[in-house]
Amino acid sequence: MTAALPQADQGTGGGGRRHGRDLREFARGGAIGLVSSVIAAASGFLLTVVVARTLGVAEAGVFFVVVALFTIVAEIAELGADTGLVRTTARLRALGRVDELRRLMIVSHVPVVVVGVLCSVGAYLAAPWIADRFVDPADAGTAVTLLRISAPFLGLMALTRVALGGTRGLGSVTAYSLINNVLLPGARPLLVGLVFVLGLGAAGVMVAWTAPIAASFVAAVLVLWRMVPRAEAGHRPGDATAGAATGEAGTRRGSTGREFWAFSGPRGVAAAVEIALVWANVPLVAMLVSSEEAGVYATANRFVSTGTLVLQAARIAIAPQVAAMLARDERDRAGHLNSLATRWVVLASWPIYLVLASFGPFLLALFGEGFTGGAVTLAVLAGAMLLALGAGNVQTVLLMGGKSSWSLANKSVALAVNIVLTLLLVPPFGIAGAAAAWAVAMLIDTVAAALQVRYLLGLRLDVRRVAVTGLWALVWFGLTGVALRTVLGTSAPVFVLYAVVACAGYAATLWRLRHSLGGAEFLGAVRNRGARQGESA
């Protein structure tokens, strides 16, 4: 499912060895990330179904508004330190500066502790004010209760993400995947299901949603605490030559904090803007229309978030690799890996969004009849994601290249466009207008980042192969879906027929093209992932 390696690189030369190692690392990390992301996506979908069935349209809308605000504030409290740790830790290891890891962990976590406490206290005290502005007056009491239940967990959520960023930078895709993608999301639908059985209502649902954060925090901190000494013990004396080769071996220890926050500061603002771009339309719809419509929009948005599981898996796998390659100025190598990952993302994720766009009414009916009005919204959101995913992990590459300020500029423009268009389009068009506003903003952000990566960072993307990969998904899941829906409708039997035909046809096509897609190399890398761990870059 990946691009075939260039012929010149498949021999015994250094280029072939480097690309082979890159592919093995990506295959190992991508496989772990994909499995865990599938679990996270399934858990998120199940959670949405259980919440919708437990609370109904109105209270589900209030719940999702609170979740949206919680997510935005928790992202702000991270200060960009999560991504900063992924990049900086990988750079220090690549440059032979592992003696700076302990100081890095201190300077990255302490500010997050302070800001997290302030956010938790502020959210608890401001709950009545927030409820008055973001939900219907009849639901304000429920909103205050949910806000105050979730407030103490804001700081813990931020610290959990930052600690997990450290584990990723230290090379543990497994720890990140198990805690962030299995433990945290997996526990939530189980606990909410228990709430449903016990009939504890909206407050019980919020307790069930926040409680797993505490367990995830403890697990993340313990894993990171154990990994730092291991990284120091595993440091080879010869590794320091990498730093000397690039003129960084003599960097003073005191520069660690400055280097970290020079990147993480802008990233923190950009991350807050990014999460606001994802979630802001939920409270805006609640303000402009109603809590019920906000619940419908949030449900459609959850579908779209579920479809990013492949992108997340690729991001988890390639971020530390790309950061290390760019630290050593290996731009061709980083570009090759990014192109490989992008083709995998398109191949595996486009079918998901084409299914959402084609059979939205049937899928939304799973949440209850009150949610089927979001079919147009779901189609618009899915269409935007098709184009955005065509650029692959361009946002990750930009950040691992150290350009957090560029990312901040892109996302600030996109958020401003989203807010303005939402205010203009929601009154006449409802939640479909909110979806259109978000789609335009998302595409602006993606195109800007893609142009910066290509022309300012100098990383090429094999657009032709990516386009060919996406074409087959469009044929089997797009055209087939439109044809069956037009002729037979969107009932359950038709959806089953569609799934069987599309999946069988797509699988047969991929099997026939497996050699040109690089499937043999990818599967071989997964099977032999431990065979050549000692191979040098």
Side-chain angles (χ1 to χ4, degrees):
M1 292 192 296
T2 57
L5 297 177
Q7 191 66 34
D9 291 338
Q10 294 181 11
T12 59
R17 288 194 297 271
R18 287 194 300 270
H19 288 313
R21 180 177 181 181
D22 295 342
L23 182 58
R24 283 192 297 277
E25 290 187 20
F26 173 67
R28 181 174 65 254
I32 294 171
L34 180 59
V35 172
S36 67
S37 295
V38 168
I39 295 172
S43 299
F45 175 80
L46 181 59
L47 173 67
T48 306
V49 173
V50 176
V51 169
R53 293 287 186 180
T54 302
L55 301 182
V57 177
E59 282 196 326
V62 176
F63 173 82
F64 285 122
V65 167
V66 173
V67 168
L69 295 173
F70 179 96
T71 306
I72 293 170
V73 176
E75 190 71 42
I76 293 172
E78 292 171 27
L79 303 177
D82 55 333
T83 305
L85 272 181
V86 175
R87 176 179 180 268
T88 308
T89 303
R91 281 177 56 83
L92 292 180
R93 295 173 67 217
L95 298 173
R97 294 163 52 188
V98 296
D99 58 312
E100 300 175 45
L101 288 176
R102 289 180 184 266
R103 175 176 172 79
L104 174 63
M105 297 306 159
I106 295 172
V107 300
S108 61
H109 282 79
V110 171
V112 177
V113 172
V114 175
V115 174
V117 170
L118 293 175
C119 287
S120 292
V121 173
Y124 187 90
L125 296 176
W129 182 87
I130 296 170
D132 287 342
R133 281 153 182 80
F134 288 103
V135 300
D136 298 340
D139 299 316
T142 300
V144 170
T145 300
L146 301 188
L147 286 165
R148 286 185 165 167
I149 290 173
S150 62
F153 294 89
L154 282 168
L156 287 181
M157 187 73 257
L159 282 169
T160 301
R161 299 288 191 189
V162 174
L164 289 174
T167 66
R168 286 177 61 200
L170 290 171
S172 180
V173 173
T174 302
Y176 176 88
S177 299
L178 288 178
I179 296 171
N180 190 67
N181 290 347
V182 178
L183 174 61
L184 181 60
R188 282 170 168 165
L190 297 177
L191 293 177
V192 173
L194 180 62
V195 168
F196 173 75
V197 172
L198 298 177
L200 299 179
V205 170
M206 183 54 70
V207 171
W209 189 82
T210 52
I213 295 174
S216 299
F217 167 73
V218 173
V221 171
L222 288 176
V223 171
L224 182 61
W225 184 269
R226 293 169 61 90
M227 288 189 67
V228 172
R230 290 180 181 177
E232 293 171 334
H235 172 60
R236 296 171 299 179
D239 290 345
T241 59
T246 59
E248 293 192 34
T251 302
R252 290 181 297 111
R253 183 185 298 267
S255 69
T256 303
R258 292 192 298 273
E259 176 186 346
F260 177 81
W261 286 113
F263 171 83
S264 300
R267 172 54 189 164
V269 181
V273 174
E274 182 178 11
I275 205 68
L277 184 59
V278 173
W279 284 100
N281 281 9
V282 177
L284 284 176
V285 168
M287 291 173 60
L288 295 171
V289 188
S290 68
S291 298
E292 289 83 354
E293 287 296 285
V296 175
Y297 179 87
T299 300
N301 192 42
R302 290 293 299 177
F303 261 122
V304 171
S305 299
T306 299
T308 61
L309 58 95
V310 180
L311 183 69
Q312 294 169 7
R315 172 178 57 82
I316 292 169
I318 72 168
Q321 286 183 267
V322 170
M325 291 172 189
L326 293 179
R328 295 188 294 260
D329 201 28
E330 298 172 341
R331 298 185 184 275
D332 289 343
R333 188 176 174 187
H336 175 86
L337 179 62
N338 182 49
S339 291
L340 181 152
T342 299
R343 295 188 68 201
W344 183 33
V345 167
V346 169
L347 186 149
S349 64
W350 270 36
I352 298 172
Y353 287 103
L354 290 167
V355 170
L356 296 179
S358 299
F359 277 81
F362 168 75
L363 296 171
L364 288 169
L366 297 174
F367 299 94
E369 291 301 321
F371 293 89
T372 56
V376 174
T377 298
L378 182 58
V380 172
L381 295 174
M385 286 304 299
L386 287 174
L387 298 177
L389 289 172
N393 274 285
V394 65
Q395 306 288 354
T396 298
V397 173
L398 191 65
L399 290 172
M400 294 303 102
K403 306 305 180 184
S404 56
S405 59
W406 297 1
S407 176
L408 172 59
N410 298 343
K411 295 185 185 304
S412 297
V413 171
L415 179 61
V417 169
N418 178 64
I419 292 174
V420 171
L421 289 181
T422 298
L423 295 175
L424 292 175
L425 297 178
V426 168
F429 300 108
I431 58 175
W438 182 86
V440 172
M442 177 63 68
L443 294 179
I444 288 174
D445 183 28
T446 301
V447 171
L451 292 175
Q452 289 163 346
V453 168
R454 171 62 185 90
Y455 294 105
L456 299 180
L457 285 184
L459 272 66
R460 295 179 176 273
L461 178 67
D462 193 342
V463 177
R464 184 183 63 83
R465 288 192 174 187
V466 171
V468 170
T469 302
L471 177 63
W472 288 111
L474 187 63
V475 168
W476 285 109
F477 287 92
L479 296 180
T480 302
V482 171
L484 289 175
R485 176 175 172 174
T486 301
V487 176
L488 301 175
T490 59
S491 64
V494 177
F495 180 78
V496 172
L497 174 64
Y498 163 61
V500 171
V501 172
C503 290
Y506 194 53
T509 300
L510 296 183
W511 178 257
R512 185 170 60 85
L513 300 175
R514 64 189 182 280
H515 296 296
S516 63
L517 291 173
E521 290 89 348
F522 185 84
L523 292 176
V526 174
R527 295 191 194 100
N528 301 308
R529 60 186 182 273
R532 298 171 66 184
Q533 290 295 311
E535 185 181 88
S536 65

